[in-house]
Amino acid sequence: MTPDVVENRPVGDDAYGSTAPERSARFTAVAPIVPVRNVSASISFYEQVLGFALLRRNADNSAALVARDSMRLMLLRVGQRRALEATREHISAYVWVDDVAGLWEELAPRLDQLPAWRVRKPFRQPYGAVEFHVKDPDGFLLFFAEDPTLQKRNAGAAGLETERDVGSGRPN
């Protein structure tokens, strides 16, 4: 599922167009809980392939927290086949980055080592976002994208196919 940009509204406005009231607490990060078969193998993937850092790990290796910049993921060891299948088939994260072309350039040599079905090269969506897709070892799908409303440096990225040109192309 990818978002359609319907209107450009400043971050912080609620669904009705009014600015949210002053708050005492600020959200600083989110850490989706990602079911994995093997926490150590998943840590290795996130560190070595995607450039994350290990922040902490449970002593029994049942869970870990990895991060890159303000992006965090909780990796949780799960033994139930159905939970892992649900992740592989229905769970994903849309990760906004400020330079998707630069991130692709950084990661491409490592992503090229993965099976083709786990990676989708950068392309432009019809609503303007440039994105690429990566599946982790257990099938958790990460969409890396540059917000089309915030694109500055890479606004004229040339030679990228649109979703309409290539079909869904979503790694499975």
Side-chain angles (χ1 to χ4, degrees):
M1 176 175 177
T2 54
D4 286 328
V5 176
V6 177
E7 59 184 280
N8 294 330
R9 189 173 13 180
V11 174
D13 283 3
D14 68 20
Y16 303 103
S18 63
T19 302
E22 190 174 319
R23 300 174 274 264
S24 61
R26 207 176 131 246
F27 291 15
T28 59
V30 64
I33 298 171
V34 180
V36 300
R37 287 171 293 175
N38 182 311
V39 171
S40 293
S42 292
I43 291 169
S44 293
F45 171 80
Y46 282 97
E47 285 181 323
Q48 295 170 12
V49 177
L50 298 181
F52 280 64
L54 175 65
L55 297 182
R56 64 181 156 267
R57 173 194 329 222
N58 288 5
D60 66 356
N61 213 29
S62 63
L65 177 65
V66 295
R68 178 165 174 164
D69 301 321
S70 63
M71 164 104 184
R72 289 175 169 74
L73 293 172
M74 295 289 298
L75 306 173
L76 179 66
R77 184 178 62 217
V78 175
Q80 296 91 1
R81 181 181 52 82
R82 289 180 56 199
L84 293 166
E85 286 173 358
T87 299
R88 188 172 45 254
E89 296 170 13
H90 305 290
I91 307 297
S92 57
Y94 206 88
V95 182
W96 295 108
V97 299
D98 64 0
D99 181 3
V100 75
L103 180 62
W104 174 259
E105 185 177 320
E106 172 195 335
L107 300 180
R110 297 183 298 266
L111 295 175
D112 285 345
Q113 304 303 309
L114 298 177
W117 61 267
R118 287 185 47 198
V119 178
R120 177 149 187 222
K121 294 181 178 183
F123 65 98
R124 186 177 303 282
Q125 289 282 14
Y127 53 85
V130 175
E131 63 185 50
F132 65 90
H133 307 163
V134 179
K135 280 200 170 198
D136 82 357
D138 293 294
F140 181 67
L141 177 60
L142 296 124
F143 293 71
F144 294 97
E146 191 168 341
D147 184 340
T149 62
L150 301 178
Q151 287 174 347
K152 296 176 186 111
R153 221 178 15 224
N154 302 325
L160 297 172
E161 301 168 318
T162 66
E163 186 72 25
R164 203 173 305 116
D165 295 334
V166 296
S168 79
R170 180 179 169 138
N172 26 338

